[in-house]
Amino acid sequence: MAPAIKTANWVFFALLTVSSALADEPPCRSAANLVDALACVRANEPAFRNAMDGAKEAEELESSAYRLINPEFGVDYLSGNSFGDVQREANASLLFTLELGGKRSARAMVLNAEGLTLKADAFDQRITALTELGGAVLRLHQLQREKAVLEESLETFRGIIRLYRSRGQLPPEQRVSLNAFELITLDYGKRLLENEAELVRVQVRTQRLFGENSKGQSLDISKFTVDLKVASRTLDEWIENTPEMLRLRSEQRKAEGEFAMARAETWPDLKIGPSIKQVTSGPISYNMAGFAVSFPIPILSWNGALRTSREITEKRVQAKAKWEAQDVRSQYSATLTQLEKIATLLRETPAEADIQRKHGTTESFFQRGLVSGALIIEAHRSLVDYYQTKHGLERQFLEDSLKVQALANARGQP
């Protein structure tokens, strides 16, 4: 019986271990490319999923402007004596507030303005989650490549230093080259340290979804290319959904709403409702019913200064919005043009195998004494700069294309 129990315990432990491992499995570990990685981010990142209801968030806020005001219940009770007779009087009323002058619609306009800001914040949050995590996955792949290039350059420089030092007396040109290689190693050592530090930061950023051993994903331009003709043709439709334009419209709507509220406040709120009165005078007691009305009389102040101020503000904000709307439009027109140019630049970059072949040829020229050490240093510097420039363009292309795609797909939506 003991061996059977022992075997059962081992089976239970194995099942528990497997289930625990499955539970801790990063959800995006199996992403085969950057498109799959972004789809997994959309499905599993709370910062993205929780920002999907920006329109509903704004709608509910605006709806709160039309809430009904709770009724007021009032009671008056008086009791006394007159010539030995009891005198009592009780009044009760239930008053409902009727807002006049368009106060509710003015309040809805102000809350609608706040809702536009909420929609802009929600969009920014979605794009930030996508670009930061998607960009981190891409950056992880880029950093691995940059690290390999930096390590190869540093090892080449150190190898040349060892070679020169082993030769004893050097001619002037090689002595100058040795000094240059000794100096350049510090710069490349610093670049490598910075690369490794950024690599750690990116790995920490991505490990929850992609695992700590993820190597990242490369960028396939064709998977993220935006139809620029369609995007340009529909610019007027989707430009209104950009966070910049939403915040601009929010500022406009808020100024309009506050001016409308200032005008509406010249109208007093009416309070009306049923009223009951009970009177006792000695042996006589009787009840009365009717209605009560209450409203302020605007004879001391019409608050004209506030209305004038709000009107001036509304005109100023409208003029400002008209001016800045042109800047927003030009900004996104420039983004579309830049996307096309970046895509062209990235497509025209030489293939990785071609770059490595030419780099190997350059080093063979140096080993045969056909080129100077200065050219080798410049060749490695150009190679590092090439990858850093290319990778920067890839990250910019990814961020801009994701934003434009999200806006183009959301046009016409509330």
Side-chain angles (χ1 to χ4, degrees):
M1 224 22 219
I5 294 174
K6 186 175 182 180
T7 302
N9 288 337
W10 274 107
V11 171
F12 175 75
F13 178 75
L15 290 173
L16 185 63
T17 302
V18 170
S19 63
S20 177
L22 291 175
D24 295 337
E25 178 76 9
C28 303
R29 184 191 293 276
S30 60
N33 51 55
L34 192 55
V35 175
D36 291 345
L38 288 168
C40 191
V41 169
R42 291 185 179 96
N44 293 279
E45 175 53 44
F48 180 87
R49 290 188 289 108
N50 293 341
M52 291 299 293
D53 292 332
K56 182 173 177 57
E57 186 179 359
E59 181 183 350
E60 293 295 331
L61 180 64
E62 183 178 352
S63 297
S64 69
Y66 296 98
R67 67 190 183 278
L68 296 176
I69 299 176
N70 290 325
E72 296 181 10
F73 177 70
V75 175
D76 292 331
Y77 177 78
L78 298 172
S79 178
N81 291 283
S82 177
F83 301 104
D85 291 332
V86 175
Q87 303 291 325
R88 283 197 301 267
E89 184 176 315
N91 299 296
S93 61
L94 185 65
L95 300 180
F96 294 85
T97 301
L98 300 179
E99 294 183 290
L100 304 179
K103 292 184 180 67
R104 296 172 72 188
S105 59
R107 189 165 59 242
M109 199 179 297
V110 173
L111 292 177
N112 175 264
E114 188 176 340
L116 292 177
T117 301
L118 293 177
K119 288 176 65 176
D121 291 344
F123 181 85
D124 275 342
Q125 184 172 323
R126 294 198 305 273
I127 291 299
T128 298
L130 274 184
T131 54
E132 283 194 359
L133 278 170
V137 174
L138 172 63
R139 187 61 181 149
L140 199 57
H141 172 80
Q142 294 175 342
L143 287 169
Q144 304 280 357
R145 187 70 194 96
E146 290 176 16
K147 182 179 180 181
V149 172
L150 287 169
E151 288 177 336
E152 189 271 335
S153 298
L154 196 55
E155 185 57 35
T156 298
F157 296 156
R158 287 170 176 168
I160 294 173
I161 290 171
R162 288 193 297 268
L163 177 63
Y164 279 166
R165 286 176 177 174
S166 66
R167 290 178 178 176
Q169 190 66 28
L170 296 173
E173 182 180 348
Q174 291 186 351
R175 195 179 311 140
V176 172
S177 295
L178 174 59
N179 292 337
F181 282 119
E182 289 174 338
L183 295 175
I184 201 68
T185 53
L186 179 62
D187 177 55
Y188 276 72
K190 176 178 177 290
R191 292 191 186 196
L192 189 58
L193 287 175
E194 292 172 347
N195 174 278
E196 291 172 343
E198 186 179 358
L199 191 58
V200 170
R201 290 196 300 271
V202 175
Q203 285 174 334
V204 171
R205 185 72 180 87
T206 58
Q207 68 180 7
R208 184 180 66 82
L209 292 180
F210 297 92
E212 59 183 9
N213 297 320
S214 173
K215 300 299 181 184
Q217 299 291 343
S218 60
L219 176 68
D220 184 352
I221 296 295
S222 62
K223 301 294 185 182
F224 295 92
T225 301
V226 178
D227 191 334
L228 296 176
K229 291 183 179 179
V230 174
S232 298
R233 191 168 58 248
T234 59
L235 179 63
D236 289 334
E237 299 177 35
W238 58 260
I239 196 74
E240 289 295 326
N241 291 319
T242 62
E244 296 87 352
M245 194 67 81
L246 286 173
R247 291 190 175 95
L248 196 57
R249 298 307 182 208
S250 172
E251 192 174 353
Q252 278 183 284
R253 193 68 55 84
K254 182 181 178 183
E256 293 171 1
E258 289 180 343
F259 181 38
M261 288 186 68
R263 287 182 301 178
E265 285 176 1
T266 61
W267 288 78
D269 289 342
L270 180 66
K271 295 184 179 181
I272 186 171
S275 179
I276 299 174
K277 185 172 186 177
Q278 184 182 63
V279 178
T280 300
S281 179
I284 301 172
S285 180
Y286 57 92
N287 297 323
M288 291 184 292
F291 66 92
V293 177
S294 172
F295 58 90
I297 302 175
I299 59 174
L300 298 180
S301 174
W302 285 77
N303 206 4
L306 179 62
R307 291 198 308 278
T308 302
S309 174
R310 296 302 191 202
E311 184 179 9
I312 294 172
T313 300
E314 194 264 344
K315 290 180 180 178
R316 176 180 58 79
V317 171
Q318 292 291 351
K320 173 191 173 188
K322 185 177 180 180
W323 177 269
E324 293 188 358
Q326 298 174 2
D327 290 340
V328 174
R329 182 184 176 86
S330 62
Q331 170 192 334
Y332 279 92
S333 297
T335 298
L336 292 177
T337 303
Q338 186 171 265
L339 266 176
E340 184 177 19
K341 291 182 178 180
I342 292 177
T344 302
L345 280 174
L346 291 175
R347 289 192 188 100
E348 292 175 350
T349 56
E352 183 78 15
D354 191 33
I355 293 174
Q356 294 303 316
R357 180 181 58 79
K358 291 180 179 179
H359 183 65
T361 301
T362 301
E363 291 197 347
S364 69
F365 286 157
F366 175 77
Q367 291 169 358
R368 285 183 287 166
L370 300 177
V371 296
S372 66
L375 285 178
I376 285 295
I377 291 175
E378 186 56 34
H380 280 273
R381 191 192 304 277
S382 298
L383 187 63
V384 171
D385 290 345
Y386 164 80
Y387 278 109
Q388 290 180 342
T389 302
K390 178 187 176 185
H391 292 165
L393 288 173
E394 287 180 343
R395 295 194 301 276
Q396 184 178 350
F397 178 85
L398 177 64
E399 181 175 350
D400 289 345
S401 64
L402 286 175
K403 189 171 186 178
V404 171
Q405 285 176 358
L407 289 167
N409 293 336
R411 70 180 187 273
Q413 295 181 8

